Amino acid sequence: MFIEGIITPIPSEAIVPFAGYLASTGQLSLIPVVLAATIGATCGSTVSYCLARWVGRPFVLRIGKYIGINENTIGKADRWFEKYGTRGALFGPMFPGIRSIIAYPAGLTKMNLKKYVPYFFMGSLVWNSTLTIVGYYLGDGWIEFWKSTANFDVIVLSVLAVGIIGFLAYRHYNKKSIAPEPKE
């Protein structure tokens, strides 16, 4: 979970439910699984926040031109975090893809770290609790669920649905939260 907080090589959706399953077998305990996942994610995210704050805008602008980041993009992030910063830190950990990167714009925009960490922790706690409980209650069914090729369609459709909803939510809030630049 610490590594996922920095970059997503292995998503929490694969790790945390399995730990919940292990808790259902008695090999792990439910509450420590949730806390370990949440603390790991929060620590990793805090490292990302500090890294982004340390390298700063000049570095991001220098390399950003190769990946589509410019001053306008960072300006949008600044305005978004001014308006929705704590909500972004709270809800960001609950969305795949956003969870691993939310710390970078928070650090670049210099969001208050004392606000960022508790909100990220709370959002991560909700997400990790949900994933752990899913794995716990599926029990042995969790293994069968992942073995079954019939459920592959369910997984793909679920990921697709979450992606579409996330994209539509992003577009909706992006249009509302960023006022047009005044013309000179």
Side-chain angles (χ1 to χ4, degrees):
M1 293 305 297
F2 175 79
I3 294 170
E4 186 204 22
I6 299 171
I7 186 112
T8 308
I10 302 170
S12 60
E13 293 85 350
I15 300 168
V16 180
F18 180 66
Y21 160 72
L22 292 176
S24 75
T25 66
Q27 295 178 49
L28 296 175
S29 297
L30 196 61
I31 301 298
V33 165
V34 172
L35 290 177
T38 302
I39 291 168
T42 302
C43 289
S45 181
T46 302
V47 167
S48 298
Y49 172 97
C50 293
L51 180 65
R53 194 157 178 167
W54 178 66
V55 299
R57 286 174 186 267
F59 178 78
V60 171
L61 288 172
R62 197 169 38 242
I63 65 160
K65 61 186 172 189
Y66 301 110
I67 56 174
I69 297 174
N70 56 33
E71 187 63 51
N72 187 39
T73 307
I74 294 174
K76 287 179 182 180
D78 283 337
R79 290 187 295 280
W80 189 88
F81 267 99
E82 276 181 32
K83 190 169 185 179
Y84 298 108
T86 54
R87 285 184 265 175
L90 177 64
F91 293 110
M94 297 178 206
F95 292 99
I98 295 174
R99 175 178 41 261
S100 298
I101 63 166
I102 192 79
Y104 292 104
L108 278 178
T109 60
K110 296 185 169 121
M111 180 182 179
N112 184 334
L113 184 62
K114 290 180 181 179
K115 283 186 176 181
Y116 175 78
V117 170
Y119 278 96
F120 186 90
F121 181 87
M122 288 185 290
S124 187
L125 181 65
V126 169
W127 179 248
N128 290 316
S129 296
T130 303
L131 290 178
T132 303
I133 290 168
V134 165
Y136 185 87
Y137 283 109
L138 281 176
D140 288 334
W142 186 85
I143 292 175
E144 294 305 315
F145 177 80
W146 286 102
K147 283 182 181 178
S148 170
T149 56
N151 287 324
F152 183 74
D153 295 339
V154 173
I155 294 167
V156 170
L157 291 174
S158 298
V159 168
L160 186 60
V162 168
I164 290 170
I165 291 168
F167 174 74
L168 292 174
Y170 169 79
R171 276 192 23 193
H172 174 74
Y173 287 110
N174 194 31
K175 286 179 183 176
K176 282 187 169 184
S177 66
I178 301 172
E181 296 289 327
K183 293 184 180 181
E184 294 180 29

